Amino acid sequence: MTTYNTVLLAEDDRAIRHALERALSLEGYRVTAVPDGIEALAAVHRERPDVIVLDVMMPGLDGLQVCRVLRAEGDRTPILMLTARVETADRIEGLDAGADDYVAKPFEVDEVFARLRALLRRAAPAPGPAREEPGPDGTTQVADLRLDPSARRVWRAGTELELTRTEFDLLELLARNSGIVLDHATIYDRIWGYDFGPGSKNLAVYIGYLRRKVDQPGLVPLIHTVRGVGYTLREA
């Protein structure tokens, strides 16, 4: 029996909604399409989808508010944001709301497909090789940073941090390869499943936001940039 991934699409622009709904259906997804945030929440509460696509700017309850509500309820369904707002501050606002990825309008539908595939791969349990072996309790520790991959929880200096799915995946990748400089291409491949291209600032945005949570004032910085190469997690 064929199993189809389910997608909840919330987009107030009728033309975009209908075009994307048709494209997703032809790609093999089972799509529920709604025009606003209120209907999006109602649809999620009726039947949880495998992945959610939210337009940021919607009347009534916008995409950011929907995202915040779902995360506050403990819903960890992967969320892809559609946005015409492409400034770094706007991207950070989406990450802060709990989104996992975003696509800027106007977009190519193939890019939406690629990002959805990456989100769905990451949502499925698929352990891979890792340099840093988990401790006896299954956790990974670097200095005063401790990650519990099975529970997807992380602590710094004894304080638990609230991370989005993408932030946790990125931090876990760095922690399991602590002391090793991971280049941009490797990180893109391991986290998103494809490279955004040399002009993309997507990784830098996520690293910057992760630093705000992990390397807070008064703590020894653990996330380091190696210019022209990539990033590493290690004690200074």
Side-chain angles (χ1 to χ4, degrees), residues 187-200:
I187 297 175
Y188 275 125
D189 180 68
R190 293 285 297 276
I191 300 300
W192 285 277
Y194 61 99
D195 198 333
F196 286 69
S200 174

Side-chain angles (χ1 to χ4, degrees), residues 11-236:
E11 166 63 67
D12 67 315
D13 186 303
R14 179 178 298 180
I16 295 177
R17 185 174 67 252
H18 287 176
L20 196 48
E21 179 183 11
R22 176 175 172 77
L24 287 166
S25 297
L26 290 173
E27 189 69 7
Y29 293 95
R30 184 161 59 86
V31 186
T32 298
V34 297
D36 57 56
I38 294 176
E39 289 198 35
L41 284 177
V44 172
H45 292 155
R46 284 195 303 270
E47 182 181 1
R48 181 174 295 180
D50 295 315
V51 66
I52 299 171
V53 179
L54 292 176
D55 181 34
V56 171
M57 303 296 291
M58 291 188 292
L61 205 64
D62 66 26
L64 295 177
Q65 292 171 310
V66 172
C67 196
R68 291 189 185 102
V69 169
L70 291 175
R71 296 313 190 219
E73 293 176 346
D75 191 315
R76 306 309 302 168
T77 304
I79 295 178
L80 175 67
M81 306 294 288
L82 304 178
T83 178
R85 301 158 57 187
V86 296
E87 296 299 321
T88 298
D90 297 321
R91 297 173 184 176
I92 288 175
E93 186 179 13
L95 301 179
D96 194 27
D100 296 289
D101 202 355
Y102 63 88
V103 173
K105 296 180 179 180
F107 53 78
E108 295 289 338
V109 71
D110 285 342
E111 182 180 6
V112 174
F113 292 160
R115 294 182 187 241
L116 289 179
R117 288 193 298 268
L119 287 176
L120 289 166
R121 281 197 302 270
R122 286 160 43 207
R131 178 178 181 272
E132 183 77 17
E133 293 297 327
D137 58 353
T139 63
T140 297
Q141 181 112 17
V142 179
D144 60 354
L145 179 74
R146 183 166 63 91
L147 294 92
D148 184 345
S150 61
R152 297 187 67 82
R153 299 174 68 185
V154 58
W155 297 262
R156 178 79 202 269
T159 300
E160 185 167 4
L161 309 179
E162 291 294 330
L163 303 183
T164 66
R165 180 186 298 272
T166 299
E167 291 166 357
F168 185 90
D169 289 344
L170 180 54
L171 184 60
E172 184 184 17
L173 176 63
L174 293 171
R176 287 182 177 273
N177 294 275
S178 62
I180 294 177
V181 179
L182 299 178
D183 60 48
H184 298 84
T186 297
I187 297 175
Y188 275 125
D189 180 68
R190 293 285 297 276
I191 300 300
W192 285 277
Y194 61 99
D195 198 333
F196 286 69
S200 174
K201 296 183 178 179
N202 203 53
L203 177 56
V205 169
Y206 276 93
I207 287 288
Y209 197 63
L210 192 58
R211 275 186 171 129
R212 289 175 56 188
K213 295 183 177 182
V214 174
D215 292 339
Q216 297 182 23
L219 297 176
V220 176
L222 295 179
I223 302 173
H224 301 274
T225 301
V226 180
R227 295 191 180 280
V229 183
Y231 302 95
T232 184
L233 183 77
R234 57 174 170 75
E235 294 187 72

